[in-house]
C-alpha cells in the first residue's frame, strides 16, 4: 500500500473534500477551478440525500453537496466507471437542485441561486473526442452570449489529463496532477509553491488514519481494485462476444452484458465480505452501489 490515500475511493474522496474541518481544501480547489470567475470565501456542507423523493431513491446521492456564502450550490462527484446517459444524469441532478429551490406561496419570485456540477470522471465522456475539461452553460445558440448563469456543468475527464509534475502550469492543473497520482506518490509535490498541498499531505497520509479506519480503508482498496479487474475482464469478454457475432450491434451488446453481469456479481461478493468485516450497511451501499435492502439480504 502506498503512502497516501486513494482519492478515487469514497473514503478517500470524502476525507480530502468532504469534511467540515478540512473544508478549506475544497474551497481552494473550487477557487482554482473557477479562477477568474468567482471567489468563494466559505462553504456549508448540505444533506446530500435531501433531493431524494423516497427512502429507497438512490438516484440523487452525491459525493459532496454544499453551498457558498452567497447561497450558490455545488455538487462535486467522483465517478470511476462510465454510465449510460451520463450527461443526462448530470442534467437531472442539477435540475433537481434547481427545482428544490422553489417555495410555495405568492411571495416567491423565482429568485434562483446558481447550481454548479463538478464531475470527476475516471473514464472518457461518451460520444465525443477525449478532452480533459468540458464546460457547459446556458448560451444563445446564435450569438453564443450567456443566457443564464444558473446552471453550470464542469466535466473533468481524468484519463485525458497527461501532464507531469514539471509541465503543470496552473494551480488547478497541480490539483489534478496530485489527485490523479496521489496513490503512487511518495512525497507531496508543490508544497513550497502552495501551502494547501502541505496540509493535504497530512490529511491524505494513511498513517494518520486510526487503526480502525486503516482496516476499513484496506478493505475498501481491495474492493476498488477487484472491481477494476472484474470490469476489465467483463469488457474483454464483451469484445470477444461482439467479435464472434461479427457486427457492431453484437459488440455493444456483448460489452454491456459483460459489464452488467461481472460488476453485479463482484458487488455482491464484496458486499458480503464487508458485511462480515463489520462495515455498516450505509458505507457498503456507498462503496458498492447496492441498496441497503440488498445488503441486508446477504
Amino acid at each position: 500500500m502506498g503512502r497516501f490515500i486513494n482519492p478515487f475511493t469514497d473514503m478517500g474522496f470524502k476525507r480530502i473534500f468532504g469534511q467540515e474541518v478540512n473544508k478549506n481544501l475544497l474551497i481552494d480547489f473550487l477557487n482554482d477551478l473557477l479562477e477568474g470567475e468567482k471567489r468563494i470565501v466559505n462553504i456549508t456542507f448540505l444533506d446530500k440525500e435531501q433531493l431524494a423523493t423516497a427512502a429507497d431513491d438512490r438516484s440523487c446521492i452525491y459525493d459532496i453537496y454544499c453551498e457558498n456564502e452567497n447561497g450558490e450550490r455545488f455538487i462535486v462527484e467522483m465517478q470511476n466507471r462510465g454510465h449510460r446517459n451520463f450527461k443526462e444524469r448530470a442534467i437531472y441532478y442539477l435540475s433537481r437542485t434547481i427545482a428544490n429551490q422553489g417555495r410555495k406561496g405568492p411571495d416567491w419570485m423565482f429568485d434562483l441561486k446558481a447550481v454548479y456540477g463538478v464531475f470527476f470522471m475516471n473514464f472518457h465522456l461518451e460520444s465525443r473526442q477525449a478532452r480533459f475539461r468540458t464546460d457547459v452553460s446556458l448560451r444563445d445558440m446564435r450569438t453564443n452570449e450567456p443566457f443564464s448563469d444558473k446552471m453550470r456543468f464542469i466535466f473533468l475527464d481524468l484519463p485525458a489529463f497527461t501532464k507531469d509534475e514539471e509541465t503543470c502550469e496552473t494551480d488547478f492543473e497541480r490539483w489534478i496532477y496530485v489527485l490523479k497520482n496521489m496513490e503512487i506518490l511518495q512525497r507531496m509535490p508543490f508544497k513550497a509553491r502552495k501551502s494547501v498541498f502541505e496540509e493535504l499531505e497530512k490529511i491524505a497520509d494513511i498513517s494518520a488514519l486510526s487503526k480502525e479506519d486503516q482496516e476499513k480503508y484496506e478493505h475498501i482498496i481491495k474492493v476498488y481494485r477487484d472491481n477494476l479487474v472484474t470490469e476489465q475482464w467483463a469488457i474483454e469478454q464483451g469484445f470477444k462476444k461482439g467479435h464472434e457475432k461479427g457486427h457492431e450491434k453484437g459488440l455493444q451488446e456483448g460489452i454491456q452484458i459483460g459489464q452488467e453481469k461481472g460488476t453485479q456479481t463482484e458487488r455482491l461478493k464484496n458486499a458480503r465480505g464487508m458485511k462480515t468485516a463489520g462495515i455498516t450497511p450505509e458505507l457498503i451501499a456507498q462503496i458498492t452501489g447496492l441498496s441497503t435492502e440488498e445488503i441486508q439480504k446477504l
Side-chain angles (χ1 to χ4, degrees):
M1 186 177 295
R3 178 184 175 187
F4 298 114
I5 199 165
N6 186 329
F8 302 138
T9 62
D10 187 79
M11 184 176 179
F13 196 64
K14 298 284 179 55
R15 182 170 176 82
I16 294 169
F17 287 132
Q19 298 187 98
E20 181 72 24
V21 67
N22 301 325
K23 66 182 180 181
N24 61 302
L25 293 178
L26 180 58
I27 292 171
D28 187 273
F29 173 79
L30 291 174
N31 281 331
D32 286 342
L33 176 75
L34 300 169
E35 186 177 12
E37 298 181 40
K38 61 171 58 264
R39 186 74 185 170
I40 298 170
V41 176
N42 191 26
I43 59 171
T44 301
F45 291 100
L46 302 174
D47 179 7
K48 67 180 182 178
E49 297 187 25
Q50 65 176 300
L51 302 180
T53 56
D56 60 349
D57 180 2
R58 295 181 293 122
S59 60
C60 280
I61 296 181
Y62 315 114
D63 284 331
I64 297 169
Y65 183 36
C66 61
E67 70 176 11
N68 67 3
E69 65 278 4
N70 298 319
E72 296 172 319
R73 307 293 175 92
F74 293 83
I75 297 166
V76 186
E77 179 178 291
M78 172 70 75
Q79 283 293 337
N80 278 313
R81 299 172 185 83
H83 287 260
R84 183 185 298 176
N85 301 324
F86 185 76
K87 291 179 286 187
E88 289 76 10
R89 177 178 177 272
I91 293 170
Y92 176 70
Y93 282 5
L94 267 66
S95 298
R96 287 288 296 274
T97 308
I98 288 283
N100 280 358
Q101 294 183 45
R103 297 290 179 266
K104 294 182 178 180
D107 296 333
W108 187 63
M109 303 297 291
F110 297 94
D111 50 338
L112 298 173
K113 300 294 184 181
V115 177
Y116 293 77
V118 181
F119 301 94
F120 288 86
M121 306 177 304
N122 231 346
F123 56 90
H124 294 309
L125 195 62
E126 70 273 18
S127 303
R128 58 178 289 276
Q129 185 177 0
R131 184 171 66 247
F132 165 57
R133 177 170 176 167
T134 300
D135 285 73
V136 181
S137 60
L138 298 175
R139 291 181 173 271
D140 186 300
M141 291 181 63
R142 185 177 64 84
T143 65
N144 202 37
E145 294 178 351
F147 176 76
S148 173
D149 63 352
K150 302 308 179 186
M151 292 185 74
R152 173 78 176 278
F153 303 82
I154 303 175
F155 298 96
L156 302 176
D157 186 332
L158 295 175
F161 183 84
T162 57
K163 290 195 173 186
D164 56 26
E165 182 178 344
E166 288 72 27
T167 55
C168 289
E169 299 176 3
T170 66
D171 285 336
F172 173 64
E173 289 180 349
R174 295 181 186 101
W175 260 113
I176 298 301
Y177 172 82
V178 168
L179 292 173
K180 185 173 180 180
N181 296 282
M182 184 178 294
E183 190 183 22
I184 61 174
L185 294 175
Q186 293 303 313
R187 64 173 182 84
M188 187 63 65
F190 314 126
K191 289 191 298 181
R193 187 180 189 96
K194 197 172 188 183
S195 61
V196 71
F197 291 113
E198 185 171 357
E199 184 175 354
L200 178 61
E201 181 179 56
K202 298 174 183 177
I203 293 169
D205 195 324
I206 294 175
S207 65
L209 298 174
S210 67
K211 183 178 180 181
E212 181 182 1
D213 284 343
Q214 285 188 27
E215 291 176 354
K216 287 182 179 179
Y217 177 67
E218 288 177 8
H219 196 89
I220 288 169
I221 281 295
K222 179 183 181 301
V223 172
Y224 171 76
R225 290 173 178 162
D226 285 350
N227 283 341
L228 290 181
V229 172
T230 300
E231 182 171 319
Q232 183 60 38
W233 177 86
I235 291 173
E236 290 173 359
Q237 293 301 306
F239 272 109
K240 181 179 179 181
K241 182 173 181 178
H243 180 72
E244 291 172 351
K245 282 198 169 186
H247 54 77
E248 184 65 22
K249 183 178 179 181
L251 176 62
Q252 296 302 323
E253 288 178 352
I255 293 173
Q256 181 181 340
I257 292 170
Q259 285 180 318
E260 291 175 353
K261 288 186 176 179
T263 300
Q264 183 65 9
T265 299
E266 194 65 23
R267 282 176 178 172
L268 293 170
K269 174 184 173 183
N270 290 326
R272 289 191 190 95
M274 285 185 280
K275 188 175 181 181
T276 301
I279 298 175
T280 65
E282 291 75 20
L283 182 55
I284 297 173
Q286 291 178 12
I287 296 168
T288 63
L290 297 171
S291 68
T292 53
E293 290 78 9
E294 290 173 308
I295 295 166
Q296 289 169 355
K297 291 177 182 178
L298 294 175

